[in-house]
Amino acid sequence: MTTAAHFTAALRDRQRLIGYWSLLDSPVAAERLARVGYDYLAFDAQHGLFGYQGLLNNLIATDTRGSTAVGMVRVEANDPTYIGRALDAGATAVIVPLVDTARDAADAVAAVRYPPHGRRSYGPMRAQLRIGPAPADTHEQTAVLAMIETADGLANVEEICATPGLDGIYVGPSDLRLAIGGKTSTDPDVAEEFERALTRIRKAAEAAGIAAGIHNGDGASAARRLSEGFTFASVAADVVHLQQAAAAHLDAAREEDGK
């Protein structure tokens, strides 16, 4: 099983990591996905279908025998309560959405670190079994990532990346495309501007020596972004892939039946 310390060290070292994104509250699915070979499973508490108990159950399931993955959580908001609960439940890393400024990034870092380096309240109910539990060890093993997905976040990306204690940034491509003027989250009319934005974000992270991650709809897209210089990439997402796989099998069955 991949340990939190190993994962976080690799992330901070800007090694290539690949994860899978989960929207469904299904610990049985998480248990199976954790054995596939991904470096992390990211559970989406912002837009996914998780309550706190579901988040806890899926993080526990990720630690199954034969798992290659650690658990990551995109929290609901840049709030110490949400961040602390995800970490106490056993998340190795948190992705913090809607980071617009370096101050926002500093607030996220503070919510992840115990005093005197931050303001996380001490009570790692489940986390103490596998992360830490001493504050210094917890800091070494736990990562905080800021999402770049807004016009302000893009404008301030260099300052955000330079925030002390920030381990990396994570691009939310749907919101970012809307932020630069896209009519939809996949609007091809802003493709060139979108690619320029990604280059700027990637270079800002590289200059600051922190990890640069991005959300992707499929493995081929993740491979492309990694080849461009992103250091970690998520393949998304279980609910979409379930529907796609079911539809493909239905089409195949109908084709065979019609012969």
Side-chain angles (χ1 to χ4, degrees):
M1 180 182 297
T2 302
T3 66
H6 175 80
F7 174 84
T8 303
L11 181 80
R12 289 172 177 161
D13 194 40
R14 289 176 49 86
Q15 295 179 27
R16 287 189 176 185
L17 300 167
I18 302 172
Y20 192 79
W21 198 265
S22 177
L23 298 167
L24 292 174
D25 178 1
S26 176
V28 173
E31 197 170 36
R32 285 181 173 266
L33 289 167
R35 297 167 60 95
V36 168
Y38 288 100
D39 297 301
Y40 62 90
L41 297 185
F43 301 104
D44 189 349
Q46 184 189 25
H47 292 304
L49 305 174
F50 298 96
Y52 178 73
Q53 188 63 49
L55 190 65
L56 175 63
N57 290 343
N58 280 271
L59 286 168
I60 292 172
T62 303
D63 290 334
T64 185
R65 178 182 178 184
S67 172
T68 63
V70 301
M72 185 183 292
V73 175
R74 175 163 71 174
V75 296
E76 294 97 314
N78 191 359
D79 183 283
T81 299
Y82 295 134
I83 293 171
R85 281 168 68 84
L87 294 172
D88 289 348
T92 295
V94 289
I95 300 174
V96 180
L98 301 171
V99 172
D100 291 333
T101 65
R103 176 60 184 270
D104 290 342
D107 287 345
V109 172
V112 171
R113 309 300 179 208
Y114 292 117
H117 307 291
R119 54 184 305 219
R120 178 182 173 187
S121 178
Y122 191 83
M125 289 298 95
R126 174 172 180 266
Q128 64 183 311
L129 302 176
R130 56 185 301 276
I131 300 174
D137 294 334
T138 302
H139 295 167
E140 181 183 350
Q141 298 168 22
T142 305
V144 54
L145 308 165
M147 286 201 77
I148 305 299
E149 54 184 339
T150 66
D152 286 340
L154 178 61
N156 297 315
V157 67
E158 289 81 12
E159 292 81 6
I160 290 170
C161 287
T163 301
L166 187 69
D167 296 300
I169 49 90
Y170 186 78
V171 176
S174 295
D175 280 318
L176 182 62
R177 196 177 290 259
L178 293 173
I180 62 173
K183 298 180 181 65
T184 69
S185 62
T186 58
D187 188 355
D189 291 342
V190 294
E192 290 187 9
E193 185 176 354
F194 179 73
E195 293 299 327
R196 287 195 295 271
L198 293 188
T199 298
R200 178 179 177 180
I201 292 167
R202 194 174 65 242
K203 288 184 175 180
E206 182 179 8
I210 64 174
I214 188 168
H215 205 70
N216 302 274
D218 53 63
S221 298
R224 173 191 170 194
R225 296 307 183 187
L226 289 170
S227 71
E228 291 171 348
F230 281 94
T231 64
F232 70 103
S234 301
V235 179
D238 51 8
V239 65
V240 176
H241 296 160
L242 177 64
Q243 181 178 352
Q244 290 174 343
H249 286 297
L250 178 60
D251 289 343
R254 284 174 171 166
E255 182 178 343
E256 289 296 323
D257 187 53
K259 286 183 179 179

